[in-house]
Amino acid sequence: MSLQVVSQTVTESATGRVDAFVRQICETSHSQSRGMIDRGCVRVNGQACGDPSQQVSPGDEVSVSYDPTQRYREKKIKRWDDRTFTIAYEDDHLIVVDKAAGTLTVPTDRGDPNTLVERVSVYLSHSRSEREACLVHRLDREVSGLLIFGKHAAIAQLLIEQFKLQKPRRIYNAIVAGKLPDQEGTFRDHLATGNNLDRYVTTPFKDSEEAITHYRVLRDLGDTTLVEVILQTGKRNQIRVQFAHALHPVLGDTHYQPERAAHPRWIRRRIALHASSLSFVHPVTGEELTVDSPLPAAITKFIKGSPKSPSGQAPAERRPTD
């Protein structure tokens, strides 16, 4: 085996990821450069480099010792398996996960184990570089769907500021009890918190919070309705409280209008509410990103089992918002 050594100092125009720099100075492919890093061929300022995403700056010395005739393959990354979430989108700065129903976003005062923030933190601790799961927003325990975490506190704070300004577009799908009187509409209410920590609609007062929710009917399911819900504000339990106040609670909700929310075909412990789409501006690139999540099996199964209309056809379905 004849090793070739290539060393070069990073210039102002060549700053960025080390794998891109290695690819440039060795005139090789992207996968080959990452493979050389994985196999210990690359050193930055005399220190072994094991992270292809490591940033190099002007003046850094990058040295590559490799066999030009060898095919350096990237190490296979074991697919992450976790019951609490799946990965919907990830880059060097943030991660969007699809939370499973029944998972707490953050621990309560009881110190609950296996919360989403804990499990995502464990996942990130196995990455090639040091990251942390920094919370941006939450979902109720029995709600599934998309949540975003920053990988650094500064990134999370930039995302939090977007949420404060109501910039991200958050779309939910829900199955609610009964038939809604209108095909689309908007709830504008003030919410407050009771002594039992449940939320309720109230007249405006000092400590109440304005909650604005837009909805439209996607499908008439006979004695229930599939709706698309767009949050303008993001208050705790907002969707659940406002639909319950309108006497159309989300199926399976044991806190708000539980008698109306019960249904003989909804046998799950979760509620029929899913965060299905999240759009936001990437805090680093400025790009507008949209991440989507398919309806969970419990909801799709219920929809398929819905009664037929008198004509023998399934109730009409409207297309979701693009």
Side-chain angles (χ1 to χ4, degrees), residues 104-129:
L104 278 170
T105 304
V106 295
T108 65
D109 293 338
R110 297 188 296 273
D112 310 81
N114 293 321
T115 59
L116 185 65
V117 69
E118 176 189 345
R119 297 308 304 161
V120 175
S121 295
V122 170
Y123 162 73
L124 293 179
S125 72
H126 288 74
S127 65
R128 297 172 184 266
S129 54

Side-chain angles (χ1 to χ4, degrees), residues 140 237-244 250 253 255-256 271 273:
D140 295 341
N237 294 177
Q238 175 174 325
I239 295 173
R240 298 164 60 187
V241 174
Q242 290 184 302
F243 273 95
V250 178
D253 198 329
H255 287 278
Y256 305 108
I271 66 176
L273 179 61

Side-chain angles (χ1 to χ4, degrees), residues 229-271:
V229 183
I230 301 177
L231 287 183
Q232 182 170 326
T233 59
K235 308 306 180 183
R236 183 170 68 87
N237 294 177
Q238 175 174 325
I239 295 173
R240 298 164 60 187
V241 174
Q242 290 184 302
F243 273 95
H245 183 72
L247 303 182
H248 297 284
V250 178
L251 291 198
D253 198 329
T254 59
H255 287 278
Y256 305 108
Q257 296 278 346
E259 295 82 10
R260 291 179 182 269
H263 192 282
R265 288 198 300 109
W266 187 262
I267 59 176
R268 307 281 182 163
R269 295 183 61 182
R270 61 161 298 161
I271 66 176

